Amino acid sequence: MAKRSARSRQSKGAGQPVRKGEAEQPLEEIQQEIQAQRLPWYQARRRGKILLILYALLLSLFGLLAWWVHTHPVLAIDVAITREFQEEQSPWLRALMFAISFIGSVPWLASGLVLVTALLLWLVRLRLEALMLLGNCLSSEALNRTVKILVARPRPSSTLVEVLQAAHGASFPSGHVMAYVAYWGLLFSYALMLFRGWSWWRLLLLLVAGFFIVMVGPSRIYLGDHWASDVLGGYLLGGIWLSLWLLLYLRLRARGLLASSGRLGNTPGSGSEIRSASLPASSHGRDLS
């Protein structure tokens, strides 16, 4: 009789839904691992400032390039570079170039990737980082469209090079390149600035982000969608815009906006962080960005 009642209780328990605390346990473990890998804020800010200096140097180069392609829509060097890229027509290479550009060629896929990533960042308590990702990607797209209208450069012609993937609209700067720099570039910056150690997920993020940032430019040239100068302009303007958003991020993060309430005390300005870093009291709260 006792065994029958015990089996009855077990069968009832098997049909019951998982308790909320048990369902949230994996997410809590991920949150704790993310927080454990985070750098103290003064170290993250130092790394961020180095990135900002590098990005800021791109501004003058972009202005000169935009003026040049506006006055010279077709450049001999662009044609030569594209023809050189397209000499190799191996099936595997063509498939790779199409695959790299695929995300940026499907608007709903690109938008969904940004939204899902922002949601994941929010769930692991990187809330300011999630908002910065959304703001950077949306504003980068708007900026790209604006500059395209101003420069009004036509796309490569099939009479000059092989156009493997026809695209519409103006050519300068490359929208794919700017979008990839905005999304993958910010994730790459987060991986460098916010975390320490070489956990598998940090290394994977750096490798994947770096791959797409580096390879999207050659893929646009190979497919005949853009001239090499369009790609260069996309990298320059995308880097400049990314630097501005990183500057905004550093300032807001230094002020503790949407700071994580995690258990490990890595929020900026916390007393435990400053004591562990042996910083002088006079440096507390100073904006070093």
Side-chain angles (χ1 to χ4, degrees):
M1 189 68 173
K3 292 182 180 179
R4 186 183 305 167
S5 61
R7 286 195 298 268
S8 177
R9 286 194 300 270
Q10 291 175 359
S11 61
K12 289 181 181 179
Q16 293 178 353
V18 179
R19 290 192 299 272
K20 184 178 180 180
E22 295 177 354
E24 293 179 349
Q25 186 175 359
L27 178 59
E28 183 70 22
E29 293 177 355
I30 296 175
Q31 291 173 343
Q32 291 180 10
E33 182 179 357
I34 292 289
Q35 296 299 324
Q37 294 290 333
R38 295 191 67 173
L39 283 170
W41 181 242
Y42 68 93
Q43 292 184 16
R45 184 161 46 191
R46 187 181 306 136
R47 294 186 182 185
K49 289 174 69 175
I50 295 174
L51 291 174
L52 289 175
I53 293 172
L54 294 177
Y55 294 145
L57 295 176
L58 306 176
L59 180 58
S60 59
L61 295 176
F62 175 79
L64 179 62
L65 181 62
W67 170 79
W68 186 254
V69 300
H70 175 70
T71 56
H72 303 81
V74 179
L75 301 175
I77 189 172
D78 277 333
V79 177
I81 291 174
T82 301
R83 290 175 177 175
E84 185 68 25
F85 270 63
Q86 293 181 340
E87 279 188 0
E88 178 60 46
Q89 290 292 331
S90 301
W92 69 267
L93 182 59
R94 181 177 294 199
L96 177 63
M97 295 296 103
F98 274 108
I100 293 171
S101 290
F102 179 73
I103 297 176
S105 301
V106 184
W108 65 265
L109 180 60
S111 301
L113 182 62
V114 172
L115 291 175
V116 169
T117 305
L119 177 61
L120 291 175
L121 290 173
W122 189 276
L123 289 176
V124 297
R125 299 175 183 170
L126 297 176
R127 296 176 179 177
L128 179 60
E129 289 76 5
L131 296 180
M132 290 293 103
L133 180 69
L134 290 175
N136 182 33
C137 291
L138 291 174
S139 61
S140 177
E141 175 67 19
L143 178 63
N144 178 263
R145 293 178 181 271
T146 302
V147 176
K148 281 181 181 291
I149 294 173
L150 294 175
V151 178
R153 188 188 195 188
R155 288 185 180 268
S157 170
S158 58
T159 60
L160 296 175
V161 296
E162 186 175 0
V163 179
L164 301 177
Q165 178 178 290
H168 304 286
S171 187
F172 182 91
S174 169
H176 272 69
V177 172
M178 285 191 62
Y180 280 42
V181 170
Y183 175 77
W184 295 109
L186 192 56
L187 293 183
F188 189 89
S189 300
Y190 285 163
L192 284 180
M193 293 165 53
L194 298 180
F195 308 108
R196 55 172 166 252
W198 293 103
S199 55
W200 69 267
W201 52 265
R202 183 181 185 230
L203 183 60
L204 180 63
L205 178 58
L206 288 171
L207 291 175
V208 172
F211 173 80
F212 277 107
I213 293 171
V214 171
M215 292 302 299
V216 66
S219 75
R220 306 310 290 158
I221 300 172
Y222 183 90
L223 297 176
D225 273 340
H226 287 285
W227 298 116
S229 52
D230 299 331
V231 168
L232 178 58
Y235 279 122
L236 291 173
L237 186 58
I240 293 166
W241 200 243
L242 177 62
S243 70
L244 295 177
W245 276 91
L246 282 173
L247 177 60
L248 176 62
Y249 166 71
L250 290 172
R251 291 186 178 274
L252 295 178
R253 196 70 180 87
R255 287 164 173 75
L257 182 66
L258 294 177
S260 170
S261 57
R263 304 173 184 174
L264 297 171
N266 270 342
T267 56
S270 63
S272 60
E273 177 186 320
I274 294 177
R275 285 193 300 271
S276 63
S278 300
L279 291 176
S282 60
S283 64
H284 177 58
R286 186 184 304 169
D287 184 4
L288 301 177
S289 61

